[in-house]
């Protein structure tokens, strides 16, 4: 299937899933479980939304694999895998903060950020109605508007996004890094949804973004969107972005920001 057809399917499913999640949010959020810590929650809507996405993909593409935040992995035979976060920013969703997203990507190869090739990705914020899409070598878009990262700025003029883990000891170290970085940049933003942070780099709402501890579904779609908008998306020392580290920014700023974070021993 050509990438254009994959992105059309991803967008259609993301919009339908977003409508369901938004409807459940209006009705009232119910916590179903906790994951890595007592503050890392799963809602019933997370599970219901992922089940809808999985079923729609299976109907359209029965031979493809699936990797979802809530339901785990299912191997396919086509060489393609759909990597899904049904509600990225669940704590925002729980509190009614309008910064959460449905994220759907299609990747080629093993569902591992170190080796996969992302073919298509869609991130949608159902509250604002914003829909971000990208295809490999096909550009990134918000609706019909093509996205390009903003002109490079110095580190001192850069608005930088980041996020924090759920474990207290991890957050303590991440807070130390942010405290060291804050005097070096324009300011820091923490919106609470990695997929939207990466899309913010693509749109120019952020100059750069970094985070450690991301899962594959957190960035599979949005990293492609940021990259296709002209950002460098990288792990440490030029390696692919993965659980250990992800940084996204225009090339000149990416190098400067990475050096600053290395000095802070990220």
């Amino acid at each position: 299937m050509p990438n254009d057809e994959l992105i059309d399917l991803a967008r259609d499913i993301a919009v339908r899933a977003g409508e369901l999640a938004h409807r459940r949010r209006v009705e009232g959020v119910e916590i179903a479980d906790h994951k890595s810590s007592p503050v890392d929650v799963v809602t019933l809507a997370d599970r219901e939304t992922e089940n809808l996405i999985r079923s729609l993909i299976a109907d359209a593409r029965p031979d493809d694999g699936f990797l979802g935040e809530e339901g785990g992995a299912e191997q396919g035979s086509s060489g393609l895998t759909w990597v899904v976060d049904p509600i990225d920013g669940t704590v925002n969703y729980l509190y009614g903060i309008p910064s959460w997203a449905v994220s759907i990507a299609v990747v080629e190869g093993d569902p591992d950020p170190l080796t996969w090739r992302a073919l298509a990705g869609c991130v949608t914020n159902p509250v604002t109605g914003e829909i971000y899409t990208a295809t490999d070598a096909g550009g990134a878009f918000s609706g019909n508007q093509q996205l390009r990262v903003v002109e490079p700025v110095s580190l001192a003029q850069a608005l930088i996004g980041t996020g924090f883990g759920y474990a207290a000891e991890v957050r303590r170290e991440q807070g130390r890094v942010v405290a060291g970085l804050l005097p070096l940049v324009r300011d820091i933003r923490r919106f609470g949804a990695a997929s939207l942070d990466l899309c913010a780099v693509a749109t120019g709402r952020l100059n750069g973004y970094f985070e450690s501890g991301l899962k594959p579904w957190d960035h599979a779609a949005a990293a492609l969107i940021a990259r296709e908008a002209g950002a460098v998306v990288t792990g440490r020392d030029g390696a692919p972005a993965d659980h250990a580290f992800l940084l996204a920014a225009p090339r000149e700023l990416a190098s400067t920001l990475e050096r600053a974070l290395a000095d802070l021993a990220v």
Side-chain angles (χ1 to χ4, degrees):
M1 177 180 279
N3 290 351
D4 287 348
E5 295 180 36
L6 290 173
I7 196 59
D8 287 346
L9 181 60
R11 183 194 300 108
D12 290 345
I13 293 175
V15 169
R16 290 182 62 178
E19 290 171 349
L20 172 62
H22 191 266
R23 187 163 63 249
R24 293 293 182 260
R25 181 66 191 80
V26 171
E27 293 168 352
V29 179
E30 295 183 55
I31 295 176
D33 203 352
H34 298 81
K35 292 186 284 187
S36 62
S37 79
V39 297
D40 186 8
V41 299
V42 180
T43 70
L44 291 177
D46 282 281
R47 294 177 174 175
E48 186 180 6
T49 302
E50 183 168 308
N51 287 339
L52 173 64
I53 295 169
R54 184 189 290 263
S55 68
L56 292 172
I57 292 170
D59 287 345
R61 303 274 303 172
D63 297 328
D64 292 354
F66 186 90
L67 176 62
E69 180 176 17
E70 310 307 335
E74 182 178 311
Q75 190 169 2
S77 58
S78 68
L80 302 184
T81 300
W82 294 74
V83 184
V84 170
D85 194 339
I87 300 177
D88 181 31
T90 300
V91 172
N92 287 347
Y93 182 80
L94 177 66
Y95 278 79
I97 298 170
S99 183
W100 55 273
V102 176
S103 174
I104 300 178
V106 191
V107 303
E108 185 177 49
D110 294 332
D112 180 347
L114 292 175
T115 59
W116 75 33
R117 177 186 171 212
L119 301 180
C122 178
V123 174
T124 178
N125 180 335
V127 182
T128 64
E130 292 171 308
I131 301 172
Y132 305 100
T133 58
T135 56
D136 182 38
F141 296 84
S142 175
N144 294 322
Q145 179 181 359
Q146 187 163 7
L147 299 176
R148 294 298 302 174
V149 295
V150 295
E151 292 297 319
V153 298
S154 67
L155 185 64
Q157 293 297 313
L159 185 63
I160 302 298
T162 192
F164 304 120
Y166 288 103
E169 62 274 15
V170 172
R171 295 166 68 85
R172 185 178 299 110
E173 174 61 15
Q174 290 171 325
R176 181 193 66 79
V177 170
V178 167
L181 184 63
L182 191 55
L184 306 179
V185 299
R186 180 190 293 272
D187 209 343
I188 300 286
R189 293 290 182 268
R190 195 278 204 243
F191 296 128
S195 61
L196 294 179
D197 288 334
L198 282 161
C199 290
V201 173
T203 63
R205 292 174 180 171
L206 290 173
N207 296 107
Y209 164 76
F210 73 95
E211 190 165 348
S212 299
L214 295 176
K215 301 295 186 182
W217 45 79
D218 291 323
H219 62 88
L224 176 63
I225 293 166
R227 185 178 297 114
E228 286 294 322
V232 170
V233 181
T234 184
R236 289 194 178 97
D237 300 320
D242 66 353
H243 179 74
F245 184 69
L246 180 149
L247 182 150
R251 185 168 302 278
E252 295 86 346
L253 177 60
S255 299
T256 308
L257 178 59
E258 187 174 6
R259 287 196 300 271
L261 291 170
D263 290 342
L264 292 167
V266 173

